[in-house]
Amino acid sequence: MFGVKSMRSAVASTASKRLFATSIAQAYQTRLNQFFHNTLRDDLMILQYVPPSVRARQGAAEETRMKEAKESMGGTPPNPLRKHKQIRRPKPNVPVPTAHNTPFVDKVTVHIRCREALQNKHHLLSALMALQILTGERGEVLKAKNDAAAWKLRKGMPISAKVELTGDNMYEFLDKLIEVVLPRMKEYHGLKMSAGDGVGNFTLGFDSSVIGLFPEMEVVYDMFPLVTGFSVNIKTTAVRNPTGRLLLSGFGLPFLHARKPKSETFDL
């Protein structure tokens, strides 16, 4: 009898726990994440819209360009100046912008190099600690893939560290970089318009002095004398550089327009 009562009480307590069980979830969104979903995504969809007539003309012009390039390569007689010239690859087809294929930031990779790690691999600990302070995540050690005798580098030696950020941690890091670090840099006007890898990804390189501009590193900057610099790679889902620039400029990342030098005139 006692066993039956204890079993019933155990079942009742389990049911009550199941009934009132709650899961702890994040109750807020980062500023950039909320700004993207509430404002920037709709603006990007409008700015990328191309009328069907214009899209058809662009496709016809691209086909004509490719056809003329192939004919010039294999003419009769063949042009010796174009014998070894490669045909420029066709531009990627940009899909019609909708709410489902709007480009967004997919991943941010922070990479720190440490030259002193070639002599002593324990010096790489400073780079790992700096990454953890900057991003809040533990870094990954990168090893050399090939030998380089000029740098006294052998295959398998640890040389640098990196962290791949996604989700809210990615947006928080971008927010600090754009709103706090870049405005405090001297003589920084922005990325060049020619920057990018052609498919909407961008890389920013900084020296060791920029690490001290992060709020988390201001107090402990003197503890990392071996960190020589770091780079930030921003990977987006855009298929072209203009689309990626449009996305990052919406977040506030500055881009520098090339200015032609003014011609100086002298009055005689």
Side-chain angles (χ1 to χ4, degrees):
M1 191 68 179
F2 178 78
V4 175
K5 288 183 178 180
S6 61
M7 186 180 298
R8 289 178 179 176
S9 61
V11 172
S13 62
T14 305
S16 62
K17 289 180 181 179
R18 190 184 304 114
L19 181 62
F20 295 101
T22 58
S23 59
I24 300 175
Q26 189 173 0
Y28 73 98
Q29 284 185 340
T30 56
R31 189 189 69 87
L32 281 185
N33 192 3
Q34 187 176 6
F35 169 70
F36 173 77
H37 287 90
N38 295 343
T39 305
L40 185 59
R41 183 171 60 178
D42 298 336
D43 295 343
L44 290 175
M45 185 173 59
I46 296 174
L47 291 173
Q48 292 182 95
Y49 176 75
V50 179
S53 58
V54 177
R55 188 180 292 271
R57 288 200 300 268
Q58 291 177 352
E62 184 66 17
E63 291 179 0
T64 304
R65 184 191 67 82
M66 292 295 297
K67 184 178 179 180
E68 292 177 353
K70 291 180 180 179
E71 290 178 354
S72 63
M73 293 287 291
T76 305
N79 191 346
L81 299 178
R82 296 178 176 268
K83 182 178 180 181
H84 301 287
K85 185 177 180 180
Q86 296 181 355
I87 301 176
R88 189 180 64 183
R89 61 182 181 180
K91 296 181 180 179
N93 295 325
V94 181
V96 178
T98 62
H100 302 286
N101 61 5
T102 305
F104 59 90
V105 180
D106 184 29
K107 180 176 62 175
V108 171
T109 303
V110 185
H111 178 265
I112 290 184
R113 59 188 182 274
C114 185
R115 297 176 182 174
E116 286 74 10
L118 297 177
Q119 285 75 27
N120 189 351
K121 63 180 180 180
H122 297 290
H123 290 319
L124 197 59
L125 292 175
S126 61
L128 291 172
M129 292 299 297
L131 274 179
Q132 191 166 358
I133 293 175
L134 292 178
T135 62
E137 294 187 7
R138 183 171 297 181
E140 176 187 357
V141 178
L142 300 180
K143 298 181 180 180
K145 297 182 179 179
N146 300 314
D147 299 335
W151 297 341
K152 299 180 181 179
L153 183 65
R154 294 191 302 272
K155 183 178 180 180
M157 292 180 60
I159 53 176
S160 60
K162 73 170 184 178
V163 166
E164 294 183 354
L165 301 175
T166 57
D168 289 333
N169 290 340
M170 173 188 68
Y171 284 110
E172 288 180 359
F173 179 80
L174 284 178
D175 195 6
K176 287 187 295 184
L177 180 66
I178 296 173
E179 299 294 336
V180 179
V181 178
L182 295 183
R184 299 175 66 182
M185 292 179 59
K186 295 182 179 179
E187 299 181 358
Y188 181 78
H189 304 288
L191 282 172
K192 295 182 179 180
M193 295 296 291
S194 59
D197 60 351
V199 290
N201 303 323
F202 298 86
T203 301
L204 294 81
F206 304 100
D207 56 9
S208 58
S209 62
V210 181
I211 297 181
L213 301 180
F214 282 86
E216 299 87 354
M217 292 288 293
E218 287 182 341
V219 182
V220 295
Y221 175 68
D222 295 335
M223 299 175 61
F224 301 94
L226 301 179
V227 178
T228 57
F230 71 103
S231 62
V232 179
N233 178 262
I234 304 175
K235 182 181 179 182
T236 67
T237 58
V239 296
R240 294 191 305 167
N241 279 347
T243 310
R245 284 197 301 266
L246 191 64
L247 171 64
L248 296 182
S249 62
F251 283 137
L253 189 66
F255 283 88
L256 177 63
H257 291 271
R259 297 180 180 179
K260 296 181 180 180
K262 296 182 180 179
S263 58
E264 298 181 358
T265 57
F266 300 94
D267 296 333
L268 299 178

